[in-house]
Amino acid sequence: MFFGQHISKVATDYRLLIPSSWREKLGEFVYITRGFDANLLVFPEQAFLRICSQFAATSITDPAARALGRFFLGSANRVALSSKRYLSLPEYLVHSCEIRAEVVLVGQGQYLEIWSSATWEQQTQHLQKHMLPSFEKFIISLA
């Protein structure tokens, strides 16, 4: 499982070093796709294939399912981790999220998120200002 945050640098050729604590968990191939919040999502191959099977179970007559498939699956790329565990990010996905030299990798259990540092800072401020009170109530209800 992927937890925590790591700051990393993106090389000029869009290669990103994956933290050693996450490298083995990702496996040889990953799927990178557009995220829902101006970020990128990185899935180990098996996790992505499970999502694909869920998409396959939806009806092509459902406009929302088609739109989600176009957004999520239509931007997905299967990428091999290099022998040194660098991840090559597709250029068009990098530009879609305004990723620059520094990124924040955020563990989300079964997958990773890649955020530009500036967008992650905005996201963090939004969470702290608007979402934390609701989260506190939810966590207390679990205890």
Side-chain angles (χ1 to χ4, degrees):
M1 305 239 359
F2 303 98
F3 300 103
Q5 299 175 23
H6 297 274
I7 295 173
S8 191
K9 301 285 185 190
V10 177
T12 56
D13 60 356
Y14 307 111
R15 288 184 312 130
L16 173 67
L17 182 63
I18 299 298
S20 59
S21 61
W22 289 348
R23 290 177 192 165
E24 293 305 316
K25 296 172 189 169
L26 284 172
E28 186 178 352
F29 292 97
V30 299
Y31 284 81
I32 305 171
T33 191
R34 186 174 294 152
F36 302 103
D37 301 298
N39 61 341
L40 298 178
L41 306 177
V42 180
F43 292 89
E45 190 164 32
Q46 290 304 315
F48 188 80
L49 294 177
R50 282 192 301 274
I51 292 170
C52 288
S53 68
Q54 292 172 348
F55 271 105
T58 63
S59 173
I60 64 169
T61 63
D62 180 351
R66 289 194 313 269
L68 182 57
R70 287 182 198 119
F71 180 84
F72 187 79
L73 298 176
S75 64
N77 288 266
R78 183 176 189 249
V79 178
L81 280 159
S82 74
S83 61
K84 294 186 180 184
R85 298 300 186 186
Y86 278 91
L87 182 60
S88 292
L89 302 174
E91 184 176 354
Y92 78 95
L93 287 177
V94 168
H95 293 300
S96 75
C97 299
E98 299 182 15
I99 289 175
R100 304 286 187 256
E102 186 176 273
V103 296
V104 180
L105 303 172
V106 180
Q108 291 294 293
Q110 298 297 314
Y111 63 96
L112 309 176
E113 294 177 334
I114 301 174
W115 295 81
S116 74
S117 291
T119 305
W120 178 246
E121 180 60 32
Q122 292 169 356
Q123 178 71 7
T124 301
Q125 289 174 8
H126 175 77
L127 288 170
Q128 290 174 343
K129 184 175 181 180
H130 300 287
M131 304 300 289
L132 283 182
S134 299
F135 293 160
E136 289 176 50
K137 290 176 189 175
F138 175 73
I139 290 171
I140 289 170
S141 73
L142 293 176

